[in-house]
Amino acid sequence: MNEFDLIRRYFSRLTQGGEGVKLGIGDDAAILGLPAGHELVVTTDTLVAGRHFEVHADPAGIGWKSLAVNLSDLAAMGAQARWVTLALTLEQADDAWLAPFASGFGELATLHRVSLVGGDTTRGPLSITVTAMGVVPAGRALRRDGARPGDAVCVTGTLGDAALALRRGADLDGDALRARLDRPTPRLAAGLALRDRAHAAIDLSDGLAGDLGHILRASDVGARIEADRLPASKEFLRHLSAEMSRVALQAQGGDDYELCVCLPPDALERARADLDGLPLTVIGEITVERGLRFVDGAGATIAVPPHGYRHFDE
C-alpha cells in the first residue's frame, strides 16, 4: 500500500462536508473560507512514540489524543474548531495499526465537526503531527496577556487524573483515570462560553504551575493559589496512596487538558451557568506581586517548582 492508497483508505472520508472547506484532501493544498469578520487561529503539536505515548499503546487512543491536544489549544483561545491537517511518519503501512488509529482520530473529529483537509505521510520512526485551525470573531480571542490583579484564578473539571494514571501504570487499565490520560476531553464548548467573560486563559497540558506561569509572565502579574482548593475526582482520591504528593500530581503532573482562566469575580456566577454543568473551581487570585505562590490551608507557602514539562531540559 502506497501513501496515496493509505490516505484514500483511512482519511479521505474525514474531509467531506466540512464548513468552509472549498477544497480538501486530494489536491496540492486545501482551500478554506473564513467567515466574514473572523480571524484564523492555528496550533500545531507533535506526538513522538516513546516520548508522548508508549510504542505499543492502543492506536485508537493515540489517534484520539493526537487530535485532542490540538483542539485543547483552540479551546484555550475561545476558537471554534474547524479544520485539521495530519502528518504521519510510519515505520510501515500496517492496517492493524492504521485502522484503529484512523477510527480514534475520526471519532473525535466527527464529534466536534472538524474536517481533515490535508497533511503528509512518510516512512520513519513513528510520530504524529497535527495542525488544528479554528475561527474566532475578530479581536475576541482569549489570550494569555490579559490577567488583572483581583481576577479569580479558576480551572475547569479536575486536576491530576492523568498524572496519577501515568504514575500507577498498567494496574489502571480500563479505569476512568486511564481514560483521562489516553482520551482527554478538549474543552471547546467551555472555551466558547468563557470567551467574552475571561480576561486570560490557557490549557493545562504541561501542569498547572508551568502553564499558569505563562499567563503570569505574559500579563506581568502574580498569583496566590490555595492548594487545598485544587479540584480532584473521586477516582483520583481513591487511587492516591500515602507516599504520593497530591499537590505535585495536581500542580505539575500535566496532561489534564482542562482550562485555566482568569475571571473578574463578578463574572463567576454567569460563567458557571454557561458551562452546562462542567465544574469551574476558584483556586486562587491574581496579585500585583509577581511570581506564583502555592499556600496550604494555614496560609503557609508550599514549595512547588514553577515549571512544567520541558523537552530539552537535561
Side-chain angles (χ1 to χ4, degrees):
M1 177 170 47
N2 62 41
E3 62 267 31
F4 305 107
D5 294 332
L6 186 157
I7 292 166
R8 281 191 294 268
R9 180 179 299 183
Y10 299 108
F11 300 110
S12 290
R13 66 180 179 82
L14 295 179
T15 197
Q16 305 300 320
E19 190 170 355
V21 181
K22 298 185 177 183
L23 184 63
I25 290 176
D27 219 300
D28 288 319
I31 302 175
L32 309 172
L34 280 179
H38 285 67
E39 296 171 322
L40 183 66
V41 181
V42 183
T43 182
T44 299
D45 269 296
T46 297
L47 277 67
V48 178
R51 173 66 63 176
H52 299 97
F53 59 89
E54 298 171 359
V55 174
H56 301 296
D58 170 33
I62 297 170
W64 174 291
K65 189 168 184 176
S66 65
L67 177 56
V69 301
N70 283 270
L71 297 185
S72 183
D73 285 334
L74 295 184
M77 303 294 289
Q80 176 70 57
R82 286 282 176 84
W83 314 293
V84 293
T85 64
L86 169 65
L88 271 177
T89 302
L90 303 166
E91 293 184 354
Q92 59 183 346
D94 178 10
D95 181 75
W97 190 92
L98 276 164
F101 173 86
S103 177
F105 189 98
E107 183 182 353
L108 187 61
T110 300
L111 183 63
H112 292 288
R113 301 177 64 185
V114 172
S115 296
L116 180 65
V117 296
D120 191 26
T121 56
T122 189
R123 183 185 291 272
L126 178 60
S127 70
I128 304 144
T129 297
V130 174
T131 296
M133 293 161 275
V135 296
V136 65
R140 290 169 57 191
L142 281 170
R143 296 168 46 147
R144 299 177 181 183
D145 60 0
R148 306 172 190 176
D151 280 350
V153 179
C154 309
V155 293
T156 60
T158 60
L159 304 180
D161 290 342
L164 182 53
L166 189 62
R167 179 82 174 267
R168 292 293 299 269
D171 65 327
L172 289 180
D173 283 351
D175 187 270
L177 291 184
R178 188 75 199 187
R180 286 293 306 274
L181 175 64
D182 294 340
R183 293 193 174 220
T185 300
R187 301 300 189 186
L188 285 161
L192 294 176
L194 294 166
R195 182 172 64 201
D196 294 319
R197 303 195 187 283
H199 287 154
I202 194 169
D203 83 314
L204 298 178
S205 56
D206 295 327
L208 173 66
D211 290 326
L212 177 55
H214 295 315
I215 288 181
L216 303 185
R217 285 186 290 276
S219 301
D220 197 25
V221 293
R224 181 179 185 272
I225 302 300
E226 299 178 42
D228 291 351
R229 301 182 73 172
L230 300 181
S233 68
K234 293 179 180 178
E235 292 81 6
F236 177 91
L237 296 175
R238 180 163 59 90
H239 287 289
L240 187 70
S241 59
E243 71 274 9
M244 296 178 182
S245 168
R246 172 175 171 172
V247 174
L249 288 167
Q250 292 193 289
Q252 295 177 273
D255 273 327
D256 289 311
Y257 298 101
E258 298 290 349
L259 298 183
C260 177
V261 297
C262 301
L263 282 162
D266 60 6
L268 276 168
E269 184 176 349
R270 289 295 301 274
R272 285 180 169 136
D274 290 343
L275 290 181
D276 196 28
L278 176 67
L280 183 68
T281 304
V282 177
I283 60 171
E285 182 181 11
I286 296 295
T287 63
V288 173
E289 181 183 1
R290 306 301 186 267
L292 176 57
R293 183 182 174 217
F294 284 81
V295 299
D296 62 19
T301 298
I302 301 172
V304 176
H307 62 76
Y309 179 77
R310 295 176 178 176
H311 282 279
F312 297 104
D313 278 358
E314 295 297 331

